[in-house]
Amino acid sequence: MTSLAQAWVGVGRAAWAPVQRPCVTERHSFREEEAYNVTRDRNIWSGMAVIISTRIPVFLIDDLYAETGSIDDVIEAYPRLTEGDVFNALAYAREFSALVERDREWHQRAIADAIR
């Protein structure tokens, strides 16, 4: 098991990712993330914020909710999520918007580079 420090240090190129992921520099408590049932692990989605035990990135939940405006639609798209998971993901996305936006941008760049 890696320590929390190791999970953040060296967040770099994933095996499938064609671009280098920027280092996370914001200072916040890992306990804050756990309160939202969210974690960051460099071995899951290259360190993006995901709902614990699901591997579903917070930015995808946030994007789908922004598009549909319905928690039920999010749960229908991701049946492993509970209503509480969706609420927590949306709250996390608001609290740590810079980190979630960075995840979203990195993902878009990775897709664009992969289809070139």
Side-chain angles (χ1 to χ4, degrees), residues 7-55:
W8 283 86
V9 173
V11 174
R13 192 177 199 84
W16 59 271
V19 295
Q20 179 94 16
R21 177 146 171 83
C23 180
V24 176
T25 59
E26 281 80 4
R27 303 266 187 232
H28 66 277
S29 166
F30 288 98
R31 290 179 192 251
E32 289 176 3
E33 287 187 343
E34 290 174 2
Y36 291 102
N37 197 32
V38 170
T39 188
R40 287 179 176 271
D41 180 338
R42 69 181 181 159
N43 296 316
I44 301 171
W45 277 82
S46 300
M48 292 184 190
V50 297
I51 300 296
I52 292 174
S53 301
T54 66
R55 294 179 179 250

Side-chain angles (χ1 to χ4, degrees), residues 34-110:
E34 290 174 2
Y36 291 102
N37 197 32
V38 170
T39 188
R40 287 179 176 271
D41 180 338
R42 69 181 181 159
N43 296 316
I44 301 171
W45 277 82
S46 300
M48 292 184 190
V50 297
I51 300 296
I52 292 174
S53 301
T54 66
R55 294 179 179 250
I56 300 172
V58 170
F59 80 89
L60 288 179
I61 296 167
D62 188 44
D63 288 351
L64 184 57
Y65 181 77
E67 184 179 309
T68 65
S70 169
I71 290 175
D72 292 333
D73 289 342
V74 175
I75 293 171
E76 185 178 323
Y78 299 104
R80 293 188 62 198
L81 294 177
T82 65
E83 191 173 286
D85 289 335
V86 176
F87 281 123
N88 284 335
L90 296 174
Y92 179 89
R94 299 308 173 264
E95 180 73 22
F96 301 104
S97 58
L99 291 174
V100 174
E101 185 59 31
R102 183 181 311 165
D103 291 347
R104 183 180 290 113
E105 290 171 0
W106 181 82
H107 185 253
Q108 290 169 349
R109 280 195 316 271

